C-alpha cells in the first residue's frame, strides 16, 4: 500500500510547483482527484463500515485540511517567486507562514484525533493519525525535494 500511495502522491503533488500561473485551478483539480484517491486509501486501511461515526469526522477534517494545504501551496508559490531576489524580510515572512501552516496542520490533527477517538476508539484513531502523518510527510518530502534551497539559484 505504501508504494501505491507514494506513487499517487508524487503524481498529484508535483504539479503544484510546476505551473504557478494556473495555481488555483490546479489546486482544485488536484484536491478533487487526490481527495477521492485518499478516501479510498483511508477506507482500505481503516476497514470501517460505511455507517461508522468516523466518516463524518473524517469529512470535516478533510475540509479543513484542504484549506491548510491550499495555503501551503500559496506559500510555496510565493517562495518560488521571491527566491531569486529573496530579502531578509521575505525570508522571515515566508518562514513564519510555513511554521504557522505546519502548526495549523498539527493542531487540526490533534483536534480531530479527539473526535475520532471518541467515535471509534484510541487504537483506530491512532491508526488514522499514523496514516495521515505518512500521507502528509510523503507529500511534503516529494515537494521539498523539488524545491531549490535558499542560495541555490
Amino acid at each position: 500500500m505504501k508504494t501505491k500511495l507514494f506513487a499517487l502522491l508524487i503524481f498529484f503533488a508535483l504539479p503544484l510547483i510546476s505551473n504557478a500561473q494556473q495555481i488555483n485551478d490546479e489546486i482544485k483539480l488536484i484536491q478533487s482527484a487526490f481527495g477521492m484517491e485518499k478516501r479510498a486509501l483511508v477506507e482500505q486501511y481503516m476497514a470501517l463500515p460505511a455507517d461508522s461515526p468516523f466518516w463524518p469526522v473524517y469529512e470535516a477534517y478533510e475540509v479543513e485540511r484542504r484549506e491548510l494545504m491550499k495555503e501551503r501551496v500559496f506559500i510555496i508559490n510565493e517562495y518560488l517567486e521571491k527566491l531569486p531576489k529573496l530579502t531578509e524580510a521575505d525570508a522571515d515572512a515566508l518562514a513564519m507562514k510555513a511554521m504557522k501552516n505546519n502548526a495549523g496542520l498539527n493542531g487540526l490533527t490533534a483536534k480531530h484525533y479527539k473526535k475520532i477517538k471518541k467515535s471509534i476508539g484510541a487504537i483506530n484513531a491512532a491508526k488514522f493519525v499514523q496514516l495521515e502523518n505518512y500521507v502528509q510527510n510523503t507529500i511534503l518530502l516529494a515537494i521539498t525535494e523539488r524545491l531549490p534551497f535558499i542560495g541555490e539559484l
Side-chain angles (χ1 to χ4, degrees), residues 6 61 69 90 94 97 113 119 130 140:
F6 184 73
Y61 169 82
M69 292 307 292
D90 291 338
L94 287 164
K97 286 178 185 179
Y113 172 79
S119 69
Q130 183 180 37
L140 185 57

Side-chain angles (χ1 to χ4, degrees), residues 75 77-99 150:
I75 294 166
N77 189 54
E78 183 180 355
Y79 170 76
L80 291 171
E81 288 175 355
K82 292 184 176 183
L83 187 59
K85 296 182 180 184
L86 193 68
T87 66
E88 287 286 321
D90 291 338
D92 184 47
L94 287 164
M96 296 302 290
K97 286 178 185 179
M99 288 185 285
I150 295 171

Side-chain angles (χ1 to χ4, degrees), residues 31-123:
Q31 285 183 337
S32 174
F34 179 67
M36 290 184 289
E37 292 293 329
K38 183 179 176 207
R39 167 86 186 218
L41 288 169
V42 172
E43 286 174 358
Q44 179 185 358
Y45 183 71
M46 297 299 292
L48 296 169
D51 63 347
S52 170
F54 167 78
W55 295 113
V57 179
Y58 172 78
E59 291 302 327
Y61 169 82
E62 278 296 298
V63 167
E64 292 180 62
R65 186 198 58 78
R66 279 190 213 93
E67 283 303 309
L68 287 168
M69 292 307 292
K70 184 177 177 180
E71 287 176 26
R72 176 169 282 179
V73 171
F74 286 126
I75 294 166
I76 291 168
N77 189 54
E78 183 180 355
Y79 170 76
L80 291 171
E81 288 175 355
K82 292 184 176 183
L83 187 59
K85 296 182 180 184
L86 193 68
T87 66
E88 287 286 321
D90 291 338
D92 184 47
L94 287 164
M96 296 302 290
K97 286 178 185 179
M99 288 185 285
K100 182 179 176 187
N101 185 263
N102 287 337
L105 283 167
N106 288 334
L108 178 66
T109 302
K111 172 181 138 181
H112 286 278
Y113 172 79
K114 293 174 187 175
K115 295 175 183 179
I116 293 169
K117 181 174 76 170
K118 186 176 180 179
S119 69
I120 59 172
I123 290 175

Side-chain angles (χ1 to χ4, degrees), residues 9 130-143:
L9 294 175
Q130 183 180 37
L131 177 63
E132 187 62 22
N133 285 338
Y134 177 78
V135 169
Q136 294 303 323
N137 288 334
T138 302
I139 291 170
L140 185 57
L141 178 61
I143 293 171

